[in-house]
Amino acid sequence: FEQGTLSGQQVCITAGPTREAIDPVRYISNHSSGKMGYALAEAAAEAGAKVTLISGPASLAPPPRVELVRVDSAQEMLDAAEKQLGNCDLFIAAAAVADYRPASVAEQKIKKNNEQMTIELVKNPDIVATVASHPQRPFTVGFAAETEKVIEHARGKLERKKLDLVIANDVAQPGIGFNSDENAVTVVSADDQQRIDQTSKHKLARTLVELIAQRLKPNN
Ligand code: C5P
């Protein structure tokens, strides 16, 4: 494993959903399983990298030889990512971060006394954009789950968040993406795009790691 395409590289990967507390017993979250991020962590470790996996709540076993940092909320995920920044050559954001969180967390369980209730939400920090705008930024890779104009939206994300690569998947296609065991993606960079046909997330992760490793070399 020491001779792999990522040997000597330190890789940080975010994965899974985040949970945004409403009160002591409730939260807002999403259906992300964490499968893609965990598969990438496993593939990067197999390619010889030292991997830190920053994971929101997911019911997956951590891959062997991967350091797992468990977090709950987007803010905790950002804190963990910033703590790793100094020893991170490559950052891959595969987490499905909740876009919004409740403006305040109720101290006690909210009672169902009213027919209607409103929860005010505020925007969460963008973790991958924060990492990419750091002065000593690692090579930064993001995901884009889109239902239309997939490449166009991915390219927008690449520019807006200052990413090196965006891995775009069309979540409108049945049988791939969120929660599924298979995925098909297009890898978008400033000067190029490359389609990877539908396959298991494990095979896809190995292909993506090889592709990223090729791009990483000239930068280091
Ligand atoms: O903007 P959007 O959520 O579609 O961007 C997706 C990419 O940005 C993913 O790589 C995701 O992990 C990352 N992201 C993030 N922090 C957020 C929102 C998204 O790191 N708050």
Side-chain angles (χ1 to χ4, degrees), residues 20-120:
E20 310 301 329
I22 297 169
D23 70 12
V25 298
R26 304 184 179 95
Y27 57 81
I28 295 172
S29 191
N30 60 62
H31 287 296
S32 167
S33 62
K35 281 174 192 164
M36 195 65 240
Y38 278 60
L40 282 164
E42 184 164 26
E46 281 171 8
K50 183 177 172 293
V51 182
T52 303
L53 179 60
I54 303 169
S55 177
S59 55
L60 297 170
R65 297 181 307 278
V66 165
E67 189 200 343
L68 181 68
V69 178
R70 288 181 198 277
V71 296
D72 246 21
S73 65
Q75 188 58 56
E76 284 172 23
M77 190 174 272
L78 176 63
D79 293 345
E82 286 187 313
K83 229 171 113 181
Q84 295 297 330
L85 259 184
N87 35 36
C88 194
D89 304 301
L90 165 63
F91 188 90
I92 306 175
V97 183
D99 291 328
Y100 294 88
R101 69 176 181 278
S104 64
V105 183
E107 253 177 66
Q108 305 297 332
K109 185 181 173 191
I110 299 169
K111 298 312 240 179
K112 49 176 176 295
N113 293 332
N114 301 316
E115 283 309 307
Q116 292 192 4
M117 75 167 291
T118 304
I119 300 171
E120 194 190 344

Side-chain angles (χ1 to χ4, degrees), residues 14-16 74 77 91-100 123-130 141-146 157 160-161 163 166-167:
T14 67
M77 190 174 272
F91 188 90
I92 306 175
V97 183
D99 291 328
Y100 294 88
K123 206 165 203 183
N124 264 331
D126 194 305
I127 297 161
V128 78
T130 307
V141 181
F143 274 78
E146 303 291 346
K157 229 154 264 189
R160 217 168 37 246
K161 302 193 187 203
L163 307 180
V166 170
I167 302 163

